[in-house]
């Protein structure tokens, strides 16, 4: 007989990671994962590559098959919606696949309900209705959304599309739809695409989109979507005070997500940053025996303190901590640095830590100064060398590394190089100390001083010059 019963609500990164950790540490503990849809442990991050056709079947997006999960000893209840947590009784009310209500008892529960797509205030934004009628306008976050998008693409066979939003998913979907032969217009309300990096680096991504046939409209706010008699869609917007519009066959709205907290808040959970569930670094909420993890909770950031930063990497780590503590452990989430990377056609953009305008929010007394360098990814005499645009931010007074942004060709190992900076940030290194790292070298892949170190040295030279100029005044 099981010694205790733990429930994880949510079948994505956090919930499954919690369940796996529990089974790993104590196989005698019974674990039930409650999943609202039929797709536990699917990679939401992989959706654009299924849409593009690079992932040939949706089932390939599963991190683990249902059989793999069952083999661990966990019980997975799919198409089962959690409706109410009774904290005092230690029970979870659910509706099964047939709509039949049931009640599950627990010793501890991990809430991993994730996030849902944000719906901007756009007149005429609807999407598929309850009867499944497709009007060609879609949000995209879940597997259900994915199937609706794929059905729409197959049925409507669009030649043109508008993507509203130019963040990570929006940019990946611009590439995906272009790969399918669809002419894409990308609309972003902010001054530049990929607003998670500085505009001068976002401009490089902007150029890559245009080189691949994507029309890019920045500083453009969409106000409405209307339907023509022939089923086309007219997207109305305002750009620098002037009206603009595009009439297309398909519209995708990807302007971000918001935390899904209803189950937890109805039970009395306190909310934190951006309306996400408040947790400590052990992933415990204010409710007894209720933990939470993933995109539904606020994030402990190693530089900023509390923030909300929905990332798959973070959700996996938080879920693992929550699972361990659900069975009496004392694990702690070490904190995020917001390390992210995205591929847009042949460019890769990455960042970690803080940008200059974000440093003030940390309230640590740092005085940020940044330098941009463009070292080659490997020795220039070996064919194929390409520049990496690297922007480093550090503290003017102490030289502490505060953040890094990188843009380079997909062959330039940008994702691994940003990890070098992330590791340095995790251990509170100075920019100058990056030159002390013993990094690998061979001419086809790098230089005696790696690109990450050459960019650091450029920051040090500029910083020292500024210091000397201040002293000379």
């Amino acid at each position: 007989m099981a010694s205790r019963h733990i429930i994880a609500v949510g079948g994505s990164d956090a919930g499954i990671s919690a369940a796996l950790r529990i089974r790993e540490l104590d196989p005698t503990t019974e674990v039930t994962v409650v999943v609202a849809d039929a797709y536990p442990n699917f990679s939401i991050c992989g959706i654009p590559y299924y849409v593009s056709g690079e992932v040939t079947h949706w089932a390939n997006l599963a991190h683990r098959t249902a059989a793999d999960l069952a083999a661990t000893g966990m019980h997975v209840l799919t198409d089962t919606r959690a409706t109410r947590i009774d904290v005092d009784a230690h029970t979870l009310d659910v509706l099964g696949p047939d709509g039949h209500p049931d009640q599950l008892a627990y010793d501890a529960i991990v809430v991993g309900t994730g996030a849902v797509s944000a719906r901007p205030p756009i007149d005429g934004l609807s999407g598929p209705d309850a009867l499944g009628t497709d009007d060609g306008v879609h949000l995209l976050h879940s597997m259900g959304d994915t199937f609706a998008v794929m059905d729409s693409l197959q049925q409507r066979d669009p030649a043109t599309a508008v993507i509203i939003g130019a963040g990570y998913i929006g940019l990946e979907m611009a590439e995906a739809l272009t790969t399918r032969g669809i002419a894409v217009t990308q609309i972003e309300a902010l001054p530049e695409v990929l607003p998670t990096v500085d505009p001068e680096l976002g401009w490089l991504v902007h150029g890559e989109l245009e080189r691949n046939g994507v029309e890019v409209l920045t500083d453009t706010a969409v106000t409405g979507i209307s339907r023509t008699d022939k089923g086309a869609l007219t997207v109305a917007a305002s750009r620098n005070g002037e009206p603009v519009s595009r009439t297309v066959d398909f519209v995708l709205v990807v302007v971000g997500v918001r935390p899904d907290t209803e189950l937890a808040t109805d039970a009395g959970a306190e909310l934190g940053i951006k309306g996400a569930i408040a947790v400590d670094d052990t992933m415990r909420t204010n409710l007894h025996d209720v933990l939470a993890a993933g995109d539904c909770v606020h994030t402990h950031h190693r530089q900023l303190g509390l923030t909300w930063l929905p990332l798959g990497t973070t959700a996996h780590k938080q879920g693992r901590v929550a699972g361990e503590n659900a069975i009496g452990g004392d694990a702690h989430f070490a904190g995020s640095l917001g390390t992210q990377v995205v591929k847009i056609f042949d460019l890769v953009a990455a960042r970690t830590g803080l940008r200059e305008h974000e440093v003030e929010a940390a309230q640590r007394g740092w005085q940020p100064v940044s330098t941009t360098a463009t070292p080659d990814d490997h020795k220039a005499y070996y064919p194929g060398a390409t520049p990496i645009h690297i922007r480093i931010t550090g503290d003017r007074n102490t030289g502490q590394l505060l953040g890094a942004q990188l843009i380079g060709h997909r062959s330039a190992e940008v994702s691994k190089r940003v990890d070098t900076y992330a590791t340095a940030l995790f251990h509170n290194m100075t920019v100058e100390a990056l030159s002390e790292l013993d990094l690998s070298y061979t001419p086809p892949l790098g230089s005696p001083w790696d690109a990450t170190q050459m960019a650091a040295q450029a920051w040090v030279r500029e910083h020292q010059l500024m210091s000397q100029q201040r002293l000379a005044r």
Side-chain angles (χ1 to χ4, degrees):
M1 184 175 182
S3 61
R4 55 195 159 196
H5 182 212
I6 311 298
I7 296 176
V9 180
S12 192
D13 299 337
I16 296 295
S17 291
L20 289 170
R21 184 59 172 164
I22 293 167
R23 295 299 301 165
E24 179 182 273
L25 292 175
D26 183 9
T28 69
T29 293
E30 183 180 351
V31 184
T32 299
V33 182
V34 177
V35 187
D37 60 20
Y39 311 104
N41 212 204
F42 271 68
S43 173
I44 303 303
C45 299
I47 288 172
Y49 310 108
Y50 170 54
V51 174
S52 70
E54 294 163 282
V55 174
T56 55
H57 194 278
W58 61 266
N60 295 334
L61 294 177
H63 294 301
R64 297 170 187 82
T65 66
D68 292 334
L69 295 174
T72 69
M74 72 177 70
H75 306 289
V76 180
L77 305 179
T78 57
D79 292 315
T80 301
R81 188 164 64 89
T83 59
R84 179 174 178 266
I85 300 171
D86 187 325
V87 177
D88 294 330
H90 275 52
T91 57
L92 175 70
D93 293 344
V94 299
L95 291 177
D98 58 358
H100 180 74
D102 198 0
Q103 192 172 78
L104 308 176
Y106 67 81
D107 292 291
I109 189 167
V110 178
V111 178
T113 44
V116 293
S117 293
R119 294 183 68 92
I122 297 174
D123 291 340
L125 175 59
S126 57
D129 63 25
L131 299 177
T133 303
D134 172 30
D135 68 354
V137 180
H138 294 268
L139 303 174
L140 182 62
H141 183 64
S142 68
M143 287 303 297
D145 296 337
T146 303
F147 294 131
V149 165
M150 293 300 284
D151 287 344
S152 187
L153 292 174
Q154 290 163 9
Q155 293 170 15
R156 299 175 70 88
D157 191 22
T160 55
V162 160
I163 296 176
I164 302 172
Y168 284 81
I169 297 298
L171 295 172
E172 290 168 341
M173 286 302 297
E175 179 178 352
L177 296 184
T178 300
T179 300
R180 293 180 68 100
I182 300 170
V184 174
T185 297
Q186 187 129 39
I187 300 179
E188 171 58 52
L190 294 172
E192 193 48 88
V193 301
L194 193 59
T196 54
V197 301
D198 288 344
E200 56 264 44
L201 297 181
W203 174 249
L204 299 173
V205 176
H206 188 137
E208 181 72 1
L209 291 165
E210 292 184 332
R211 277 191 296 276
N212 284 275
V214 178
E215 180 189 25
V216 181
L217 302 178
T218 52
D219 270 325
T220 304
V222 174
T223 55
I225 302 171
S226 58
R227 286 82 182 158
T228 70
D229 294 338
K230 295 183 179 180
L233 300 154
T234 297
V235 178
S238 174
R239 189 181 200 198
N240 298 321
E242 298 294 327
V244 296
S245 67
R246 295 293 183 271
T247 298
V248 294
D249 306 315
F250 182 85
V251 174
L252 190 65
V253 182
V254 279
V255 295
V257 295
R258 59 177 177 80
D260 185 354
T261 63
E262 183 178 1
L263 180 70
T265 54
D266 285 351
E270 294 177 356
L271 298 183
I273 304 297
K274 296 290 183 72
I277 301 168
V279 292
D280 61 17
D281 65 357
T282 68
M283 310 317 297
R284 291 182 171 90
T285 72
N286 63 298
L287 303 175
H288 185 56
D289 292 327
V290 178
L291 301 92
D295 292 355
C296 61
V297 308
H298 65 201
T299 303
H300 294 262
H301 192 286
R302 291 179 68 85
Q303 297 168 298
L304 287 173
L306 293 179
T307 187
W308 183 61
L309 191 59
L311 293 170
T313 49
T314 300
H316 278 283
K317 296 180 182 73
Q318 290 177 338
R320 187 174 172 87
V321 169
E324 182 167 337
N325 292 338
I327 56 173
D330 188 32
H332 294 259
F333 174 55
S336 170
L337 288 164
T339 307
Q340 304 166 57
V341 64
V342 63
K343 183 185 83 71
I344 310 100
F345 295 102
D346 283 332
L347 277 189
V348 174
R351 65 160 291 178
T352 188
L354 304 179
R355 296 153 62 193
E356 276 197 27
H357 76 279
E358 297 165 338
V359 170
E360 184 177 349
Q363 297 183 337
R364 302 277 288 272
W366 290 321
Q367 295 186 29
V369 60
S370 300
T371 298
T372 302
T374 54
D376 285 340
D377 69 318
H378 63 257
K379 291 300 292 183
Y381 60 71
Y382 186 89
T386 62
I388 308 175
H389 298 261
I390 303 178
R391 185 167 175 81
I392 289 179
T393 300
D395 177 37
R396 182 195 305 270
N397 295 322
T398 65
Q400 183 174 346
L401 177 67
L402 300 178
Q405 305 165 63
L406 300 83
I407 304 270
H409 190 269
R410 61 184 300 183
S411 66
E413 298 288 353
V414 170
S415 66
K416 293 300 100 182
R417 285 183 157 113
V418 77
D419 290 345
T420 301
Y421 290 119
T423 303
L425 283 168
F426 193 92
H427 292 286
N428 298 313
M429 290 176 62
T430 65
V431 179
E432 189 167 17
L434 281 160
S435 291
E436 299 171 2
L437 295 176
D438 185 18
L439 304 180
S440 62
Y441 159 59
T442 186
L445 302 176
S447 299
W449 291 114
D450 185 72
T452 55
Q453 295 172 313
M454 287 190 274
Q457 290 162 4
W459 185 94
V460 170
R461 285 193 298 271
E462 185 168 326
H463 169 68
Q464 288 175 338
L465 177 61
M466 292 171 65
S467 299
Q468 292 167 1
Q469 289 173 341
R470 288 201 308 273
L471 291 172
R473 292 192 187 110

